[in-house]
Amino acid sequence: MKNFCIAIFLLIANFGYAQNFKYAFVTDTHVGTATGEEDLRRTVADINSQSDIDFVLVTGDITEMGTNEELQLAKEILSGLNKKFYVIPGNHDTGWSESGGVSFIKEFGYDKFTFDHNGFRFIACASGPYVRMSDGHIPRDATVWLDSVLNKTPKHMPIVYINHYPLDNSLDNWYEATDRLKKKNIQYAICGHGHQNKAYNFEGIAGTMGRSNLRAKDSIGGYNIVDMTKDSVFFTTRKPNGETLATWRKIALKTFANDGKTYERPDFSINKKYSNVKPVWTYHSNANVVNTPAYNNNLVIFGNSLGLVEALNRKTGKPVWTYQTKGAIYSSPIIKNDLVIFGSGDGNIYALHLKNGKLAWKTAAQKSVLGSPVIQADVLFIGASDNTFSALDVKTGKLKWQFKEVEGTIVGKPLIYQGKIIFGSWGRHLYALDLNTGSLIWKWNNGNGNRMFSPAMVTPVATNNTIYIAAPDRVLTAIDATTGQTLWRNSEAKVRESIGLSTDSSLVYGKTMQDEIVAYKTTRTDQGIAWKYNAGYGYEHTPSDLIEKNGKLFFGTKNGTIYCIDPPAKKTLWAHKIDNSMVNTFKVIDDKTLVVSTMDGKVCMLKTN
């Protein structure tokens, strides 16, 4: 009898004070596409016509490319709602963002949120990827924040979780959310991304994907009305012409009980297989790290997605100094003349004193600076999101020249070759500028009008008057360095954005999207694949360089694993898994020592026997 009374008390505590209410569930509005603006305006007007909707949740992919213009337009449209609305970014708002997500936060004030309504706690996290192609990823700072929110949430308080991606392995760290939520009274989760109404079960958590607001092949778009009652939640599609369809999804509301089943988790067994490689130290930043660390004899330096630059002791991995900027850092720092130099999403190029992290100089751009710098002599070269590429004096930051005709955002690392600076952008083109004057020598594109196939994240390599790249079109391309003319294009291996040059420059290495490392001879005519090796890393789409040192070839994958192979022997020498997120391009100090960073904010020093 006592247990029965307790159960009744808990039921009342959970739901007794909750009242019936409705909210609108809108997702994947893709403002910037042909009908995105019109479809969203219709939905806003339709929601405004309904007096019984309490608030609106918009679950990501607000825009098509995450540009400032698209974000401003989306904010203007959503601000027309006559009720409270809450938004989170999706992969389209961050993956191609010209600000690295900074503008989303500026427009909407946040990229994650929590609020209470009628006894329920609603919690929403962002889910990248950010700037580069990779799996979805709940940002490191969001999981840190989620811990703080859940720690303050009463055990029996009912929770609704909101995310752009489904809580499955389309997010590389889905378990970071599910493991936490299953310890609380999670009722259900909602998401977008898939552009369809779909019922899910996320490890015992009821899940619901909503249809895109876009009309697609229909004459009009649509969204969902979510009707919360004391014991159930109902999902109903609503057309913005006033038509309400039949309820398609019902979930019972009850105290969550963990089913006790064992679910898929990342497999680290490869570390036991190759026990000859181990981390000397590992440091976990409180935010994503999506850049390549710089190092000298004493320090390892990198920036994170909260705009913090961190310097660690190279031997111990302990923090030495930090410097806070006002925007996310995706620019890989470079060290020169006792300065560390990088760009920030706050629209500045920074130079810090290497010893103590104090500001030496900063130079403003008109928009975010996501591109990575390179240096020749005492001149720094770097691109920004303001359609400009600049040459600056390393010592002072003063402008030497500027090229202002770049189409799209610059996010990659340039190549200096034969008196030229060569770089790509999210504007379809690869550019070659005169190193001394900044004048355009040539620009190249792959003939595809879709900017998502732009050579933005390529890392060009060059030898024998030939530039080699592999854009998202999955074609290895050889370009004449003097004229910018295409010499040959080979799509046999489906190499995507990940290439490298052998030490003797005789081969271009490529990482394919499924298991294989391939090599092409550095010839000016297409001779096909010279050799290939099945390294068994699985499906792969992360842009990162392949680096050869002392006859060993190193590369990283989207699932947090570093590989070292012997190219002539076609043999894996070792592999090591750090976490389950994207490995950035790393630094090979020598053939036994690497400095590595991953998207989830892990930075480590790896060493082999």
Side-chain angles (χ1 to χ4, degrees):
M1 182 66 180
K2 180 180 178 182
N3 289 339
F4 176 75
C5 292
I6 291 173
I8 293 297
F9 171 78
L10 292 177
L11 185 64
I12 293 171
N14 285 341
F15 301 113
Y17 53 81
Q19 301 173 2
N20 294 358
F21 64 93
K22 291 182 181 180
Y23 66 88
F25 167 24
V26 183
T27 191
D28 294 272
T29 58
H30 289 275
V31 171
T33 57
T35 68
E37 177 184 353
E38 182 182 353
D39 291 339
L40 183 54
R41 288 192 187 278
R42 283 181 175 175
T43 289
V44 166
D46 190 66
I47 292 172
N48 285 344
S49 71
Q50 299 170 74
S51 60
D52 58 348
I53 292 177
D54 286 13
F55 57 87
V56 182
L57 299 181
V58 191
T59 65
D61 281 1
I62 314 299
T63 66
E64 178 66 3
M65 291 289 287
T67 66
N68 292 351
E69 183 181 7
E70 289 174 353
L71 288 167
Q72 289 164 5
L73 178 57
K75 174 66 179 302
E76 179 260 307
I77 299 169
L78 290 170
S79 296
L81 285 163
N82 61 12
K83 44 198 55 89
K84 184 72 174 178
F85 68 91
Y86 304 87
V87 301
I88 52 170
N91 57 300
H92 276 256
D93 305 307
T94 59
W96 295 275
S97 169
E98 67 180 280
S99 68
V102 173
S103 294
F104 188 97
I105 296 173
K106 283 182 178 179
E107 288 295 334
F108 295 102
Y110 54 83
D111 64 354
K112 48 192 174 289
F113 63 79
T114 184
F115 68 92
D116 296 345
H117 189 81
N118 283 17
F120 287 82
R121 179 155 292 175
F122 290 78
I123 304 173
C125 289
S127 50
Y130 285 73
V131 179
R132 289 153 176 77
M133 175 66 178
S134 189
D135 288 341
H137 180 83
I138 301 171
R140 165 70 174 160
D141 68 282
T143 59
V144 172
W145 171 84
L146 183 59
D147 279 334
S148 68
V149 172
L150 291 177
N151 286 340
K152 298 173 185 176
T153 301
K155 183 177 181 180
H156 298 290
M157 186 174 192
I159 293 170
V160 177
Y161 185 75
I162 302 108
N163 204 72
H164 177 64
Y165 281 80
L167 288 179
D168 58 20
N169 61 12
S170 58
L171 282 168
D172 60 30
N173 61 343
W174 77 95
Y175 51 90
E176 298 273 18
T178 55
D179 286 354
R180 288 164 167 82
L181 293 170
K182 287 192 290 184
K183 294 176 182 177
K184 295 290 184 175
N185 191 19
I186 178 68
Q187 296 301 294
Y188 63 90
I190 63 171
C191 67
H193 191 60
H195 288 220
Q196 60 180 318
N197 288 332
K198 185 175 180 180
Y200 278 94
N201 183 308
F202 302 130
E203 301 183 4
I205 301 171
T208 303
M209 176 185 284
R211 59 151 295 161
S212 167
N213 190 67
L214 295 174
R215 70 188 69 176
K217 296 180 180 179
D218 202 348
S219 59
I220 196 168
Y223 61 101
N224 275 280
I225 298 292
V226 184
D227 191 351
M228 301 277 287
T229 70
K230 64 179 181 178
D231 58 8
S232 299
V233 56
F234 302 89
F235 292 82
T236 304
T237 298
R238 169 85 174 188
K239 296 283 190 176
N241 59 1
E243 178 186 4
T244 302
L245 306 183
T247 296
W248 67 272
R249 171 80 158 137
K250 176 185 176 182
I251 300 171
L253 298 175
K254 57 186 178 182
T255 301
F256 180 77
N258 195 324
D259 61 16
K261 294 180 181 178
T262 300
Y263 291 96
E264 173 194 4
R265 289 295 180 266
D267 181 3
F268 285 80
S269 61
I270 197 168
N271 293 351
K272 294 180 180 179
K273 181 178 180 181
Y274 298 102
S275 58
N276 60 320
V277 55
K278 297 197 180 289
V280 177
W281 52 258
T282 300
Y283 176 83
H284 205 174
S285 181
N286 280 335
N288 284 9
V289 174
V290 193
N291 54 73
T292 304
Y295 73 91
N296 69 354
N297 289 333
N298 302 312
L299 299 174
V300 172
I301 304 169
F302 55 92
N304 73 22
S305 60
L306 292 181
L308 185 69
V309 181
E310 302 182 77
L312 309 179
N313 182 288
R314 177 171 154 177
K315 292 182 179 179
T316 67
K318 301 297 184 183
V320 176
W321 56 255
T322 62
Y323 182 88
Q324 184 68 57
T325 74
K326 296 180 180 179
I329 299 171
Y330 298 100
S331 175
S332 297
I334 193 167
I335 294 173
K336 177 74 173 180
N337 295 345
D338 293 322
L339 298 175
V340 56
I341 305 171
F342 59 92
S344 170
D346 67 12
N348 290 290
I349 302 156
Y350 289 84
L352 307 180
H353 290 291
L354 189 59
K355 183 177 180 180
N356 55 22
K358 301 293 185 182
L359 181 67
W361 57 258
K362 71 175 180 178
T363 299
Q366 298 301 309
K367 291 184 178 180
S368 296
V369 185
L370 309 181
S372 297
V374 293
I375 293 174
Q376 180 163 291
D378 284 325
V379 183
L380 173 84
F381 302 91
I382 191 167
S385 295
D386 56 0
N387 308 112
T388 65
F389 191 91
S390 303
L392 308 175
D393 184 275
V394 167
K395 297 177 181 178
T396 65
K398 291 183 178 179
L399 185 67
K400 286 183 169 292
W401 57 253
Q402 195 168 64
F403 178 74
K404 298 183 178 181
E405 300 172 18
V406 179
E407 179 186 340
T409 303
I410 302 167
V411 293
K413 181 181 177 181
L415 169 71
I416 295 174
Y417 184 66
Q418 292 184 346
K420 304 176 187 69
I421 185 85
I422 298 161
F423 62 92
S425 78
W426 282 119
R428 301 180 298 120
H429 291 92
L430 187 77
Y431 295 84
L433 308 181
D434 184 280
L435 200 62
N436 297 313
T437 66
S439 58
L440 180 66
I441 297 173
W442 52 258
K443 64 180 182 179
W444 174 94
N445 72 64
N446 57 18
N448 196 314
N450 187 338
R451 55 186 169 173
M452 291 182 182
F453 291 98
S454 300
M457 278 311 302
V458 304
T459 302
V461 298
T463 186
N464 191 28
N465 199 40
T466 308
I467 311 293
Y468 298 91
I469 66 166
D473 62 359
R474 309 176 194 182
V475 181
L476 184 70
T477 303
I479 301 165
D480 187 280
T482 302
T483 65
Q485 298 299 306
T486 302
L487 296 174
W488 54 265
R489 284 166 58 77
N490 187 300
S491 60
E492 186 178 353
K494 305 300 182 188
V495 174
R496 179 186 175 124
E497 298 173 307
S498 296
I499 64 173
L501 196 62
S502 64
T503 305
D504 64 5
S505 299
S506 66
L507 294 171
V508 171
Y509 298 119
K511 181 177 60 174
T512 73
M513 294 185 69
Q514 188 69 51
D515 288 322
E516 288 186 332
I517 299 300
V518 295
Y520 296 79
K521 292 182 179 179
T522 51
T523 54
R524 290 172 62 84
T525 57
D526 183 6
Q527 297 188 17
I529 297 173
W531 58 258
K532 56 186 175 181
Y533 168 62
N534 189 327
Y537 49 74
Y539 176 66
E540 174 60 27
H541 52 219
T542 295
S544 59
D545 303 352
L546 286 80
I547 301 170
E548 187 178 73
K549 190 88 168 183
N550 294 340
K552 298 175 182 177
L553 184 63
F554 303 86
F555 61 92
T557 69
K558 73 179 183 67
N559 66 356
T561 306
I562 303 285
Y563 285 82
C564 174
I565 69 172
D566 181 334
K570 317 295 188 299
K571 177 183 177 182
T572 298
L573 300 176
W574 58 260
H576 185 82
K577 186 174 176 67
I578 298 168
D579 60 23
N580 205 53
S581 69
M582 175 185 78
V583 174
N584 304 305
T585 292
F586 42 78
K587 292 292 178 67
V588 181
I589 298 175
D590 57 53
D591 64 352
K592 293 184 177 180
T593 314
L594 285 72
V595 177
V596 185
S597 63
T598 72
M599 181 163 60
D600 198 54
K602 290 274 186 74
V603 180
C604 68
M605 181 80 70
L606 286 183
K607 201 165 186 68
T608 61
N609 298 332

